[in-house]
Amino acid sequence: MIMDLNREQVSYGSADQPAALADVMSVDVEDYFQVSAMEGIIDRRDWPSMACRVERNVHEILDLFDRHQAKATFFTLGWIARRYPDLIREIAKRGHEIASHGMQHIRVSSQSPEAFRSDVRESRALLEDISGSVVLGYRAASFSLTPGTDWLMPF
Ligand SMILES: [Zn+2]
């Protein structure tokens, strides 16, 4: 399974209130053949014929989070949502946030502004339709908010 589990501590506070730490957990919902390291090895056109592990693995993570009463944000590929809509509904039903990871894990730095906008809109609408919840978050594939993607900031 390739699934990024990210745990961070976030500090928040104000001038009047001392900062506090909060644990923040997130998951990238993608399969092993969809990560950028597989670009050039596995063609996107072959994705439909690949054996998927994501469904089983996400259920294991959901059970683990339930046992520890942990909530997370699940940054989900539109490709996964389209193929496994019940999985997206299950994530949302268990109280986790659904967020977008784009449709097909394409780096922001490889997209034009128009292509990026279309990708985000399509994945957001799909995830909202399936989950029944508002999608607010987006995670760029492979840390691809890099110099040269400044055009993204007006979004
Ligand atoms: Zn990813």
Side-chain angles (χ1 to χ4, degrees):
M1 166 179 84
I2 300 293
M3 184 173 302
D4 296 334
L5 283 173
N6 303 293
R7 180 176 179 264
E8 301 172 35
Q9 286 197 318
V10 177
S11 177
Y12 59 92
S14 66
D16 302 345
Q17 299 273 332
L21 292 177
D23 288 316
V24 178
M25 181 80 76
S26 65
V27 177
D28 281 10
V29 182
E30 60 202 16
D31 224 313
Y32 66 96
F33 51 84
Q34 298 173 315
V35 299
S36 297
M38 300 302 267
E39 285 177 1
I41 299 170
I42 299 175
D43 194 291
R44 282 189 168 79
R45 290 173 296 193
D46 295 330
W47 286 7
S49 64
M50 302 294 295
C52 287
R53 303 172 184 164
V54 68
E55 203 173 19
R56 181 197 68 214
N57 294 336
V58 167
H59 278 104
E60 287 185 23
I61 287 173
L62 289 171
D63 292 345
L64 177 68
F65 286 178
D66 282 352
R67 283 196 301 275
H68 296 280
Q69 300 176 331
K71 297 298 180 196
T73 300
F74 284 70
F75 292 95
T76 305
L77 287 184
W79 191 94
I80 295 289
R82 189 166 281 149
R83 190 170 178 143
Y84 300 105
D86 288 343
L87 180 64
I88 307 315
R89 285 189 274 273
E90 182 68 19
I91 295 167
K93 189 176 113 187
R94 295 205 201 187
H96 302 283
E97 178 184 13
I98 302 291
S100 172
H101 199 32
M103 287 302 295
Q104 296 198 12
H105 210 269
I106 299 172
R107 295 171 199 253
V108 174
S109 52
S110 308
Q111 299 181 64
S112 68
E114 296 76 24
F116 173 78
R117 185 186 310 255
S118 174
D119 185 68
V120 170
R121 284 183 174 158
E122 182 181 4
S123 63
R124 180 181 185 188
L126 178 65
L127 291 165
E128 287 181 342
D129 284 349
I130 293 171
S131 70
S133 59
V134 175
V135 170
L136 299 173
Y138 172 82
R139 174 174 282 159
S142 302
F143 311 102
S144 57
L145 292 179
T146 56
T149 59
D150 325 5
W151 50 263
L152 177 65
M153 294 309 143
F155 295 117

